[in-house]
Amino acid sequence: VTLKFLGEKQPQTEIKKAVAISVPMHLQTSCEKISQRSNRIYANRFLKSHKKKIITKASRMQGLDLTGIQNINSLLQFDDHYTAPLHGFKDAIDYYTKCSSINFLNGINVPTLIINTLNDPFLSQACFPSESLKDHPFVRLEILLRGGHVGFTQFNKNGLYWSEQRALD
């Protein structure tokens, strides 16, 4: 969301710098990646959480149809049935295409650091656009071997996570 905002809105003075960590910059292939059998535990956890949230939302929002929610078995199906229509998109693919931050990186004009790790189970290969960012005047992509999805557990002497310290630096 941060990267999309920066690339889309062209902030003038309020945002001076930005950091984005473990970013699924390409939503469709990231959805496919997390939905792979090896990552199914994460996908199921998200799906369960999303279903719970939409059931809560339906209790507060008239017209939200929960028919068939128990038959939704994937994040793509959930996004097709709920996320996309609730936010004005035709379907999940339309949502993924229009909201993927990878499509907005060229418009970023404030110093921005993106940190992604190669062993992040949520990130597809498309989330590592090294070549297209190599000469970007404002965006720096750091690709680490390990760290998982926001899993930087190394603390410094001040009790900060590695990622928190890196963001401050």
Side-chain angles (χ1 to χ4, degrees):
V1 172
T2 300
L3 297 175
K4 182 179 181 289
F5 175 80
L6 291 174
E8 182 177 57
K9 298 295 183 189
Q10 299 290 318
Q12 299 302 312
T13 57
E14 299 207 17
I15 298 175
K16 303 292 186 198
K17 294 180 181 180
V19 178
I21 299 173
S22 296
V23 187
M25 290 185 262
H26 193 274
L27 294 175
Q28 181 177 346
T29 58
S30 291
C31 181
E32 292 166 1
K33 172 85 174 180
I34 196 173
S35 298
Q36 291 175 352
R37 185 181 189 109
S38 59
N39 296 323
R40 200 68 185 149
I41 190 168
Y42 302 113
N44 288 340
R45 185 173 175 206
F46 276 123
L47 188 57
K48 183 179 178 180
S49 170
H50 288 352
K51 284 181 177 182
K52 184 177 177 182
K53 288 176 186 175
I54 208 72
I55 290 168
T56 300
K57 184 176 277 221
S59 70
R60 299 179 186 144
M61 181 179 170
Q62 283 189 340
L64 190 53
D65 184 10
L66 296 177
T67 306
I69 193 168
Q70 69 278 3
N71 298 324
I72 293 176
N73 297 315
S74 72
L75 292 169
L76 177 66
Q77 288 175 335
F78 184 89
D79 288 342
D80 253 344
H81 197 81
Y82 292 107
T83 308
L86 281 171
H87 296 93
F89 298 97
K90 182 178 84 173
D91 56 23
I93 301 303
D94 184 45
Y95 162 65
Y96 299 155
T97 301
K98 291 177 179 169
C99 291
S100 289
S101 62
I102 197 149
N103 300 322
F104 299 89
L105 298 177
N106 286 338
I108 296 176
N109 63 6
V110 296
T112 301
L113 172 64
I114 302 169
I115 302 171
N116 280 350
T117 61
L118 292 173
N119 73 337
D120 188 324
F122 302 1
L123 304 185
S124 67
Q125 193 58 41
C127 298
F128 301 93
S130 301
E131 193 60 32
S132 64
L133 290 176
K134 74 178 181 179
D135 295 322
H136 196 295
F138 297 102
V139 179
R140 178 178 174 173
L141 174 64
E142 290 184 4
I143 300 173
L144 306 177
L145 293 175
R146 295 185 357 221
H149 188 73
V150 199
F152 308 103
T153 57
Q154 179 183 357
F155 292 98
N156 69 11
K157 64 183 178 202
N158 298 324
L160 294 175
Y161 284 109
W162 175 90
S163 55
E164 293 170 328
Q165 186 62 57
R166 183 68 189 103
L168 290 171
D169 291 345

